[in-house]
Amino acid sequence: MSVEGPVRLYCFAHSPEGVSAFGGWAARTGPGVEPVPVLLPGCTRRRSEPRVRTRTALLAEVLPLFTGPRPGPYALYGHGLGALAALTAARALHEAGLPGPVFLGAGAWPPPLPPAGAADVRRATDTELLHALGGGGAVPPGSDEGILLRAALPVLRADLELAQDLREEAVRPWRAGPLTTPVLLVASDDDGPQAAACAAGNWREWTLGPVRSRTLPGRLLARGSGELPRLLGRACRVARRLLPESAPVG
């Protein structure tokens, strides 16, 4: 893989609608970095397309981004559910023996753990799902909030089904063993001083590469904030300097 050109920073949002949070990042990540928001079906200009609900569908959508004709190093950053999507892509590339990201960034999301008595979203009725989303009946169905929740139910169900499928697949044995990719964990100081350190310890199960954690002030994706894109931009430039002639696999 050629190391010429900018490091592409592929950004996975917490939901398909969340890609707008990465707007303006090109000016904030700094030189030598090209932010690339990953727009999945079902949102904005792709609103007419069916939403992604499974790992298979996700990989069919995103793997061509990393295996196409464009050369050069790249990094992955996932926020919330997007962190699980980024991990899924990195793992698929690793198991296929293809060049992987120079690092995997994860914000506001713990590593996937085996489900412990969690309900199967795919089999839940609308009533059961609304009950769970409403905090066990805390949202009256006829209230404004209940009406909005019911209207958004198809979108919420699709995202919850995707999260469940990605989590179930992630905790199954890895044919090629753990990643070798460095992992950068980002937490908000609103989560408490131990959040990043605790997450770092858990993530070490998923990679043989170094795991680093950073805590930033305020909400990570707050509109107008430059802390997160600046951090990721610096990480991209450091990773680029450390690249050998060919980018690492995994």
Side-chain angles (χ1 to χ4, degrees):
M1 178 188 295
S2 169
V3 296
E4 296 179 359
V7 177
R8 283 166 288 140
L9 175 62
Y10 289 98
C11 301
F12 293 80
H14 53 286
S15 73
E17 280 75 16
V19 291
S20 62
F22 305 122
W25 274 32
R28 297 174 186 151
T29 51
V33 181
E34 179 190 354
V36 183
V38 178
L39 179 62
L40 295 177
C43 177
T44 61
R45 65 179 181 272
R46 303 189 65 182
R47 191 173 298 280
S48 62
E49 301 175 53
R51 293 175 83 90
V52 169
R53 295 171 179 261
T54 65
R55 175 182 181 271
T56 299
L58 175 74
L59 292 178
E61 180 70 30
V62 304
L63 284 188
L65 296 173
F66 319 118
T67 57
R70 292 186 64 186
Y74 67 91
L76 305 179
Y77 173 73
H79 192 86
L81 173 59
L84 191 52
L87 172 63
T88 298
R91 175 180 178 178
L93 291 163
H94 176 61
E95 293 188 334
L98 296 171
V102 293
F103 72 86
L104 168 64
W109 193 261
L113 299 173
D120 189 338
V121 176
R122 293 161 299 204
R123 293 183 173 85
T125 65
D126 285 355
T127 299
E128 291 169 339
L129 196 54
L130 284 167
H131 184 75
L133 291 170
V139 179
S143 67
D144 289 345
E145 187 176 354
I147 292 171
L148 290 172
L149 192 59
R150 183 174 289 278
L153 188 59
V155 168
L156 294 171
R157 180 186 288 277
D159 289 351
L160 290 171
E161 287 181 6
L162 175 61
Q164 180 175 326
D165 199 56
L166 295 185
R167 188 178 293 108
E168 289 175 351
E169 289 293 332
V171 300
R172 289 179 180 148
W174 291 34
R175 295 189 304 274
L179 301 174
T180 59
T181 308
V183 172
L184 172 63
L185 305 176
V186 190
S188 165
D189 59 4
D190 292 342
D191 300 328
Q194 300 303 317
C198 178
N202 292 333
W203 269 94
R204 288 191 176 93
E205 177 182 346
W206 302 95
T207 183
L208 300 176
V211 178
R212 301 287 183 265
S213 62
R214 297 291 183 269
T215 302
L216 300 178
R219 293 175 53 207
L220 296 181
L221 288 183
R223 187 174 297 277
S225 173
E227 294 282 350
L228 179 57
R230 281 194 290 268
L231 171 65
L232 294 172
R234 289 195 300 271
C236 286
R237 286 186 287 276
V238 169
R240 183 187 181 86
R241 288 198 296 269
L242 296 176
L243 279 176
E245 289 299 318
S246 298
V249 171

